[in-house]
Amino acid sequence: SDLCHQTQRTYKKQRKAAILLQACVRKHLAQTHFNKQRTAAVHIQTSVRRFQAQTSFNKKRQAASVLQKRWRATTLCQKQHKEYTNLRRSTIKAQAAVRGYLARQKVSQLHKSASVIQSSWRTHRAKRLLANQR
């Protein structure tokens, strides 16, 4: 009976030790599993945040590119309009100068023609008066 009690106590100690060991092993396995899941979750979060940051950056870069293109187009348009206005103004001045020159040439020619006609008329009238006096 004493041996039996001793065996039972040893069995109970060994059973308790086995249960404690199993609990420690399960705890270790659970912690390892939890740490792997946490590491995976952190990796997923990092990937999502990186993707969101890259998407946001690309949208901002594209918006900046659109703004730059529009700004360049606007400034180019303004420059071309200014050049066109200056060219038009210069062309109008040149045309006015040529028209003025041609008009002065025509008036000068008309004066010369009028002088020739007046001279011819005076000569004709003088000859007629001279013929009438004879």
Side-chain angles (χ1 to χ4, degrees), residues 32-43:
T32 303
H33 181 68
F34 173 77
N35 287 338
K36 284 182 181 179
Q37 285 185 330
R38 185 177 61 196
T39 302
V42 168
H43 181 69

Side-chain angles (χ1 to χ4, degrees), residues 23-37:
C24 287
V25 168
R26 283 191 200 104
K27 179 182 175 188
H28 175 71
L29 290 175
Q31 284 177 340
T32 303
H33 181 68
F34 173 77
N35 287 338
K36 284 182 181 179
Q37 285 185 330

Side-chain angles (χ1 to χ4, degrees), residues 51-91:
F51 175 76
Q52 289 173 337
Q54 286 174 343
T55 303
S56 175
F57 174 76
N58 288 337
K59 284 181 182 179
K60 289 176 184 176
R61 184 174 59 189
Q62 187 177 3
S65 178
V66 168
L67 288 174
Q68 288 172 344
K69 284 179 186 176
R70 288 183 181 170
W71 176 257
R72 288 185 196 117
T74 300
T75 54
L76 178 63
C77 183
Q78 289 172 345
K79 180 183 175 189
Q80 288 176 341
H81 179 70
K82 189 174 182 179
E83 289 174 358
Y84 167 77
T85 303
N86 289 339
L87 180 63
R88 186 172 185 268
R89 189 177 297 124
S90 299
T91 303

Side-chain angles (χ1 to χ4, degrees), residues 2-134:
D2 208 20
L3 183 62
C4 199
H5 277 301
Q6 179 102 17
T7 308
Q8 276 184 341
R9 271 187 271 169
T10 305
Y11 170 75
K12 285 182 180 180
K13 280 184 183 180
Q14 287 177 348
R15 187 170 189 266
K16 196 174 188 182
I19 291 172
L20 185 62
L21 184 61
Q22 287 175 345
C24 287
V25 168
R26 283 191 200 104
K27 179 182 175 188
H28 175 71
L29 290 175
Q31 284 177 340
T32 303
H33 181 68
F34 173 77
N35 287 338
K36 284 182 181 179
Q37 285 185 330
R38 185 177 61 196
T39 302
V42 168
H43 181 69
I44 290 170
Q45 289 173 342
T46 302
S47 297
V48 167
R49 288 187 184 120
R50 182 185 315 114
F51 175 76
Q52 289 173 337
Q54 286 174 343
T55 303
S56 175
F57 174 76
N58 288 337
K59 284 181 182 179
K60 289 176 184 176
R61 184 174 59 189
Q62 187 177 3
S65 178
V66 168
L67 288 174
Q68 288 172 344
K69 284 179 186 176
R70 288 183 181 170
W71 176 257
R72 288 185 196 117
T74 300
T75 54
L76 178 63
C77 183
Q78 289 172 345
K79 180 183 175 189
Q80 288 176 341
H81 179 70
K82 189 174 182 179
E83 289 174 358
Y84 167 77
T85 303
N86 289 339
L87 180 63
R88 186 172 185 268
R89 189 177 297 124
S90 299
T91 303
I92 290 171
K93 284 182 180 180
Q95 287 174 340
V98 169
R99 285 189 191 113
Y101 172 77
L102 292 175
R104 286 188 296 278
Q105 290 291 348
K106 185 163 182 140
V107 167
S108 176
Q109 183 62 38
L110 289 174
H111 282 174
K112 286 179 186 174
S113 297
S115 295
V116 168
I117 292 170
Q118 288 172 350
S119 174
S120 296
W121 171 251
R122 288 186 188 121
T123 303
H124 171 72
R125 192 176 62 184
K127 284 182 181 178
R128 211 172 78 211
L129 284 174
L130 191 67
N132 282 342
Q133 286 178 357
R134 288 188 191 173

